[in-house]
């Protein structure tokens, strides 16, 4: 009744922002992401007959804030008649700060819980359960370049290319490792209800998805970077025009964008993306990694640099 799983966060190049069904947590738009290799969440789930309630520990601290979402996810995977669970989560990177920690956490939680009950769900079913807990988590069940399609019924996932097939690198500039001001679930709904750009964002997404899919198929780094930066800035424009505005950037985020622009002008193969936090993720070709790391390290306001390649989807790695 105990299992341990590990999952890596993923970073969207074409973003998921908005839901078509909040109850089932279905995305209003498709998205394409890359799964990372070296950042990860390790999740242990132990179902214990003697426990009176679920217990969650995150990085060594009891956590009651995330517990309701964890309990709902445990119920979805193991059924409401299950024993209570002792859930222990350890991440090797800052959590709740726009580094997709909920994606790796819920992907690992679903895999560990299914293994703890000796379930035999396939990857698509596990992804569906992870996506119900947190939309982006569904993508962390798969490695490499992953597309999550929108659907009114259920989500669908597809690996567009493996990590080994196009081994890009990611340099993360950590600009403030503090929790975000507003969670993405709440902020998405705010955008849907109040942003005048939301409708156009949803309408245009298929065009960006098609461009990204073609760029990935052709391993065209320039084309992928162009559509990824455009899609990222469009998502943040939707957020900024929400009422009240949702602004995740800080001055270091803008300074990092400028650094990436300068690198691009010098012919370095790099592009940026930014999620629900001030961190900037620079995606680059392997040969550019040292230049990108050096330039971002020297940028004002950057606190720390994390480096990673692309990796595989969530896996169980221990159980009894
Ligand atoms: C900006 O997956 O965290 O990172 O489904 O409400 O849990 P919920 O949202 P979540 O949103 C991720 C938003 C994003 C873009 C992306 O990862 O596609």
């Amino acid at each position: 009744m105990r299992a341990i799983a590990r999952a890596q966060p993923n970073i969207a190049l074409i973003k998921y922002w908005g839901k078509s069904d909040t109850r089932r947590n279905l995305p209003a738009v498709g998205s394409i992401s890359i799964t990372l290799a070296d950042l990860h969440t390790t999740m242990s789930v132990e179902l214990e007959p003697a426990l009176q309630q679920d217990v969650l520990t995150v990085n060594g601290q009891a956590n009651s804030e995330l517990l309701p979402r964890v309990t709902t996810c445990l119920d979805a995977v193991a059924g409401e008649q299950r024993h209570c669970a002792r859930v222990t989560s350890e991440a090797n990177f800052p959590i709740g700060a726009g580094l997709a920690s909920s994606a790796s956490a819920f992907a690992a939680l679903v895999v560990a819980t299914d293994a703890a009950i000796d379930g035999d769900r396939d990857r698509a079913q596990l992804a569906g359960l992870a996506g119900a807990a947190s939309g982006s988590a569904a993508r962390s069940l798969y490695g490499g370049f992953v597309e999550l399609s929108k659907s009114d019924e259920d989500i669908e996932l597809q690996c567009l290319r493996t990590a080994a097939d196009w081994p890009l690198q990611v340099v993360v500039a950590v600009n403030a490792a503090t929790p975000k001001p507003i969670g993405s679930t709440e902020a998405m709904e705010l955008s849907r209800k109040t942003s005048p750009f939301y409708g156009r964002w949803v309408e245009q997404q298929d065009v960006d998805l098609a461009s990204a899919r073609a760029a990935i198929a052709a391993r065209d780094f320039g084309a992928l970077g162009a559509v990824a930066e455009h899609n990222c800035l469009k998502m943040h424009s939707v957020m900024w025009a929400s009422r009240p505005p949702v602004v995740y950037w800080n001055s270091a985020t803008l300074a990092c964008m400028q650094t990436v622009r300068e690198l691009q002008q010098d012919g370095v193969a790099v592009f940026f993306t930014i999620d629900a936090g001030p961190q900037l993720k620079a995606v680059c070709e392997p040969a550019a990694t040292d230049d990108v790391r050096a330039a971002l390290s020297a940028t004002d306001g950057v606190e720390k640099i994390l480096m990673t390649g692309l990796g595989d989807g969530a896996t169980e790695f221990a159980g009894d």
Side-chain angles (χ1 to χ4, degrees):
M1 298 299 266
R2 173 167 190 253
I4 303 175
R6 177 169 285 177
Q8 289 72 17
N10 66 77
I11 294 185
L13 304 182
I14 304 297
K15 308 290 188 187
Y16 151 50
W17 194 255
K19 299 171 199 280
S20 61
D21 180 333
T22 46
R23 195 180 53 81
R24 288 185 298 160
N25 205 36
L26 295 177
V29 290
S31 54
I32 294 178
S33 61
I34 43 180
T35 302
L36 306 181
D38 302 314
L39 314 186
H40 51 72
T41 302
T42 306
M43 186 75 66
S44 157
V45 174
E46 185 162 16
L47 295 157
E48 289 181 32
L51 268 185
Q52 297 301 309
Q53 56 184 41
D54 295 331
V55 179
L56 173 66
T57 308
V58 178
N59 290 348
Q61 308 267 322
N63 187 313
S64 54
E65 199 188 315
L66 288 173
L67 187 59
R69 277 176 89 184
V70 166
T71 291
T72 304
C73 184
L74 289 163
D75 287 348
V77 182
E80 287 178 22
Q81 304 308 317
R82 65 183 170 82
H83 295 308
C84 289
R86 189 178 301 283
V87 179
T88 309
S89 173
E90 298 286 337
N92 70 345
F93 61 99
I95 59 170
L99 286 171
S101 56
S102 66
S104 52
F106 283 107
L109 180 64
V110 163
V111 173
T113 309
D114 188 63
I117 59 164
D118 282 331
D120 59 357
R121 291 183 172 96
D122 63 22
R123 204 147 277 269
Q125 291 170 312
L126 293 170
L129 288 162
S134 182
S136 55
R139 299 185 308 236
S140 278
L141 265 294
Y142 295 80
F145 295 77
V146 180
E147 177 162 4
L148 167 58
S149 306
K150 77 174 156 96
S151 151
D152 291 335
E153 285 311 309
D154 223 342
I155 54 170
E156 275 168 36
L157 286 116
Q158 198 191 344
C159 172
L160 301 174
R161 261 198 193 288
T162 63
D165 234 7
W166 198 13
L168 299 180
Q169 293 286 314
V170 181
V171 180
V172 182
V174 179
N175 296 328
T178 49
K180 50 184 133 181
I182 171 171
S184 35
T185 307
E186 197 187 331
M188 271 183 212
E189 278 300 280
L190 193 63
S191 291
R192 185 176 67 78
K193 289 179 185 151
T194 68
S195 177
F197 304 153
Y198 181 80
R200 288 291 281 151
W201 155 255
V202 173
E203 267 168 40
Q204 289 182 358
Q205 188 78 339
D206 285 347
V207 177
D208 290 357
L209 286 166
S211 304
R213 230 179 271 129
I216 292 165
R219 291 195 193 90
D220 183 338
F221 186 85
L224 183 60
V227 70
E229 289 189 356
H230 169 68
N231 189 266
C232 164
L233 293 175
K234 206 159 53 176
M235 176 185 75
H236 285 277
S237 305
V238 172
M239 295 176 183
W240 282 37
S242 301
R243 293 186 144 181
V246 176
V247 178
Y248 286 114
W249 301 2
N250 61 21
S251 56
T253 317
L254 279 163
C256 287
M257 276 168 65
Q258 181 59 25
T259 298
V260 172
R261 287 276 174 263
E262 286 164 11
L263 286 164
Q264 288 170 334
Q265 276 153 18
D266 291 344
V268 177
V270 59
F271 66 83
F272 69 80
T273 191
I274 305 157
D275 293 294
Q279 335 312 339
L280 178 136
K281 292 110 182 190
V283 181
C284 59
E285 289 187 340
T289 312
D290 289 345
D291 286 346
V292 173
R293 181 181 45 192
L296 285 173
S297 303
T299 300
D300 275 352
V302 174
E303 291 177 355
K304 192 165 134 182
I305 295 285
L306 305 173
M307 312 273 295
T308 173
L310 306 192
D312 297 324
T315 45
E316 182 199 355
F317 72 86
D320 48 41

